[in-house]
Amino acid sequence: MSWEDFENDCTEYLNTNFGKYANFIHEGGSNSTLSDIEVIRKRGGNFYIEAKLCPAQCGQFVLLPDITYSRFVYSLKNTTPINSSAKKIMGYMNQYFEDFKEAGTAGKEILMDNGQEIFSEWITGYYKNKGTKYFITNNYILLPIEEFSDCFNVTADYRVKRSGSADVGKRNMPNVISYINTHDYLIENTRKDKSKLFVKSSKSLHNRRFLLEGYEYMFSIRGSEYEIRKLSNTFNANVIFSIDLKPNRVGITQEEFIQALI
């Protein structure tokens, strides 16, 4: 199951089991500025749930190597301000600057004292700022964000990663449509939605990529059709957090979650 399928399945599960008390709207997707599922309570006071199919990535921030001073700099590209957890991580990495500066796409694991605690602090702070109160993970286990460090094993790596994707864009659409219609993608229909491009095909195209005019594009499944996404040519060096569910975690009961909704 892909993370997209999992988010949709979690949203369906929540609406099926708790729709009497709240509406659950799938919001996040590839938009990292939002948490995955918005919870709209009938009595007001909305919040979010983050869906993570473990093992999974769970947040990141950009650090730039300053070769002149042999230290890492918190990038202005980050959407969240620097906090104490990020400063602790940077302090450790600065001690081993020569090792981390050439991490590349293979990456280098950050093995620091109290790493589990520091990484968990960064993650919980990051998601609390997005209004997240719960994580939903494998087997639809619901976990309050306050119990995050007790429920997940957390690791962190420093590595170079492509910086996301964007809509095809109106200017690129004619060339992209011409390309996919003259190659072996069996395109049955195309649909434009402002700067987005959607297609239908009898072939399985999810995650298929192609190069056109110096840019890489990717088919990404959206229900019964595919959206074509333009991948960024920008690569950033990130501290990337990964999580896995600890054994025998059962989460809160349905009754406890209902009490949080009413």
Side-chain angles (χ1 to χ4, degrees):
M1 182 185 296
S2 71
W3 60 266
E4 293 172 298
D5 293 333
F6 184 67
E7 289 178 10
N8 287 320
D9 285 356
C10 286
T11 305
E12 182 178 349
Y13 166 83
L14 291 166
N15 277 310
T16 299
N17 289 276
F18 306 104
K20 179 179 177 181
Y21 309 99
N23 292 323
F24 300 87
I25 310 297
H26 183 208
E27 290 282 7
S30 59
N31 184 353
S32 61
T33 63
L34 294 175
S35 200
D36 296 322
I37 302 168
E38 185 177 10
V39 182
I40 303 174
R41 292 190 289 190
K42 298 188 183 302
R43 67 174 178 85
N46 302 346
F47 60 87
Y48 286 88
I49 297 174
E50 184 72 13
K52 290 297 180 186
L53 180 62
C54 288
Q57 290 186 13
C58 194
Q60 63 189 43
F61 61 88
V62 180
L63 287 185
L64 304 176
D66 184 336
I67 305 300
T68 302
Y69 295 99
S70 296
R71 62 186 177 90
F72 289 95
V73 178
Y74 195 78
S75 174
L76 295 176
K77 295 180 181 179
N78 290 309
T79 57
T80 54
I82 191 170
N83 56 27
S84 60
S85 302
K87 289 179 180 178
K88 291 174 185 176
I89 294 168
M90 291 169 64
Y92 172 81
M93 292 176 60
N94 285 341
Q95 295 179 52
Y96 303 96
F97 180 81
E98 295 300 320
D99 294 330
F100 281 105
K101 73 173 185 179
E102 303 294 345
T105 55
K108 180 174 177 59
E109 187 173 2
I110 302 171
L111 299 170
M112 57 188 297
D113 292 339
N114 300 321
Q116 171 80 21
E117 176 184 344
I118 295 167
F119 303 155
S120 295
E121 285 178 356
W122 188 93
I123 292 170
T124 54
Y126 173 73
Y127 283 103
K128 282 181 179 179
N129 285 337
K130 296 204 287 184
T132 304
K133 288 192 174 182
Y134 293 89
F135 280 76
I136 186 168
T137 186
N138 305 42
N139 300 316
Y140 307 117
I141 295 173
L142 280 161
L143 302 165
I145 194 169
E146 290 80 10
E147 299 178 13
F148 181 89
S149 62
D150 295 326
C151 299
F152 294 98
N153 291 313
V154 190
T155 57
D157 294 88
Y158 182 67
R159 63 182 173 89
V160 173
K161 181 182 178 184
R162 190 193 294 269
S163 62
S165 64
D167 301 342
V168 166
K170 294 180 181 179
R171 183 171 61 87
N172 300 317
M173 279 188 189
N175 288 340
V176 171
I177 293 172
S178 174
Y179 180 89
I180 61 177
N181 280 328
T182 54
H183 288 73
D184 187 28
Y185 296 117
L186 301 184
I187 302 300
E188 300 172 350
N189 182 57
T190 62
R191 178 174 69 86
K192 302 175 183 178
D193 183 358
K194 297 181 180 178
S195 60
K196 295 178 180 288
L197 176 62
F198 298 88
V199 301
K200 287 191 174 182
S201 171
S202 57
K203 296 187 72 172
S204 177
L205 297 177
H206 184 56
N207 286 337
R208 285 276 299 274
R209 303 183 182 200
F210 60 90
L211 289 172
L212 180 63
E213 297 181 335
Y215 284 95
E216 189 174 15
Y217 294 85
M218 181 177 73
F219 293 89
S220 185
I221 195 164
R222 301 284 189 266
S224 62
E225 58 187 353
Y226 298 93
E227 181 184 358
I228 298 180
R229 302 288 294 172
K230 181 182 177 184
L231 301 181
S232 172
N233 282 341
T234 302
F235 292 82
N236 290 316
N238 297 264
V239 172
I240 302 172
F241 301 97
S242 299
I243 62 172
D244 205 354
L245 189 65
K246 292 182 179 180
N248 304 318
R249 298 294 163 176
V250 296
I252 61 173
T253 65
Q254 289 196 355
E255 290 73 19
E256 288 174 314
F257 187 56
I258 290 171
Q259 288 302 310
L261 298 174
I262 62 178

